Amino acid sequence: AGFGLSISGVPISSAVAGVAIGLISKPNPEKPSEVEDYRILTDILGIEDYNGDMDFKMAGTNKGITALQADIKIPGLPLKIVMEAIQQATVAKREILAIMNKAIAKPRLNRKENGPVVENVRVPISKRARFVGPGGYNLRKLQAETGVTISQVDEETFSVFAPTPAAMHEAQDFITDICKDDQEEQLEFGAVYTATITEIRDIGVMVKLYPNMSAVLLHNSQLDHKRIRHPSALGLDVGQQIQVKYFGRDPTDGRMRLSRKVLQSPAATVVKTLTDKHSIAMGAGDSQGANSS
């Protein structure tokens, strides 16, 4: 694998090689758990693995070991045999690396035009739900349509592996398209907007500030100054428009923070409206309407 990566131009820090070490042992007739005699085999084949007592694999660079794995078929393995196996594997590994370095000492500077590509994509927490989609729908669709493989690195970073640069470009366009939200970038902290109720829940109402927005929860505690157990206590219904104040995104979970409660006062407010043309226009809000929302 390390040889293939170097030829493909993947910038690996060091070449890696691996070798399989086998074992043929003779148990002690009086104590079957003890080994009376043994032979260690280097670079075993399948038949030696099948009939032998051990399949010990070791991989690494010239500087050290990167991976170890062993299948043992006997009751116990003396530490002496383990140490000898590591020593023989180290010698074999260095010989393999020497042969590889004669063929190609370092990765090619230029990747092949049709070679695989790996890139990290940063998706803000506020966009993660849209990026992943309901039940992972968007991710599955992205991988099926472009042929890329996506794995999550951390809360905001995803690794994208593409078989070709063309597939990577296609995936990037797809990601940009599903995460695009021009209107949210125009939302101003502390501004008042008109929201449309899309769903009534026991704990609050789901609202949208503009048509292509994913509905967000406006909790009962943010609907009114008085404590309510259900939004119906305020006469709210699906399709109704209410005025809410925007307080940005929660830094921990990325959820949009909205409040209707803070507007339940006689003070006049300035309402910002999101138009059908995907822009925000200033408008004077009716203070009485704000009080009744």
Side-chain angles (χ1 to χ4, degrees):
F3 189 71
L5 292 172
S6 295
I7 292 178
S8 301
V10 178
I12 58 176
S13 58
S14 301
V16 178
V19 65
I21 303 296
L23 174 69
I24 304 296
S25 65
K26 178 182 177 182
N28 188 327
E30 298 180 358
K31 295 182 179 180
S33 61
E34 295 183 1
V35 177
E36 182 177 273
D37 196 10
Y38 64 92
R39 295 292 184 273
I40 294 178
L41 310 176
T42 302
D43 196 18
I44 61 175
L45 301 175
I47 188 66
E48 295 163 331
D49 178 17
Y50 180 77
N51 292 316
D53 298 323
M54 178 182 74
D55 179 15
F56 180 87
K57 301 181 183 71
M58 190 182 83
T61 66
N62 275 322
K63 295 182 178 180
I65 299 171
T66 57
L68 290 172
Q69 188 271 333
D71 296 324
I72 311 298
K73 302 177 185 177
I74 57 179
L77 196 63
L79 182 60
K80 177 184 177 183
I81 295 180
V82 176
M83 298 304 296
E84 288 184 20
I86 292 177
Q87 289 176 351
Q88 288 192 206
T90 301
V91 173
K93 179 195 66 174
R94 288 175 179 171
E95 291 183 5
I96 296 172
L97 288 171
I99 295 172
M100 291 171 56
N101 288 331
K102 287 181 180 179
I104 180 169
K106 59 182 180 179
R108 289 178 174 173
L109 297 178
N110 299 322
R111 296 184 183 181
K112 291 186 176 181
E113 294 182 359
N114 294 324
V117 184
V118 180
E119 290 187 8
N120 285 337
V121 176
R122 182 182 175 277
V123 179
I125 295 178
S126 61
K127 305 283 186 180
R128 187 169 55 191
R130 178 172 297 195
F131 175 67
V132 175
Y137 173 79
N138 288 341
L139 282 185
R140 292 196 300 271
K141 181 179 180 183
L142 170 60
Q143 294 179 108
E145 292 186 359
T146 64
V148 303
T149 301
I150 298 179
S151 57
Q152 188 169 357
V153 178
D154 55 39
E155 287 189 346
E156 294 190 348
T157 308
F158 291 81
S159 176
V160 181
F161 171 83
T164 64
M168 178 62 75
H169 292 321
E170 188 177 353
Q172 289 173 338
D173 292 341
F174 187 100
I175 294 171
T176 300
D177 184 59
I178 62 176
C179 291
K180 185 177 181 180
D181 194 346
D182 294 337
Q183 285 186 307
E184 184 173 345
E185 294 179 0
Q186 301 179 50
L187 297 178
E188 296 180 14
F189 188 93
V192 179
Y193 298 97
T194 299
T196 302
I197 299 175
T198 61
E199 182 184 350
I200 301 292
R201 296 185 178 181
D202 291 339
I203 60 173
V205 296
M206 301 299 291
V207 299
K208 287 186 176 183
L209 301 186
Y210 45 89
N212 64 338
M213 168 185 169
S214 298
V216 297
L217 176 67
L218 183 56
H219 195 269
N220 286 338
S221 62
Q222 295 300 322
L223 286 174
D224 200 271
H225 285 289
K226 62 183 179 182
R227 185 175 182 180
I228 61 172
R229 293 186 177 181
H230 195 275
S232 59
L234 299 175
L236 300 178
D237 200 1
V238 174
Q240 183 177 346
Q241 291 187 332
I242 59 176
Q243 291 179 6
V244 296
K245 197 166 187 176
Y246 175 69
F247 291 100
R249 291 275 182 177
D250 190 296
T252 57
D253 58 19
R255 294 181 181 179
M256 184 179 290
R257 298 183 295 188
L258 302 173
S259 177
R260 176 180 179 268
K261 177 175 67 175
V262 298
L263 301 179
Q264 305 305 300
S265 63
T269 59
V270 176
V271 181
K272 292 191 175 183
T273 305
L274 296 170
T275 68
D276 294 335
K277 294 182 180 180
H278 306 289
S279 61
I280 296 178
M282 292 291 294
D286 186 350
S287 61
Q288 294 180 353
N291 292 330
S292 62
S293 298

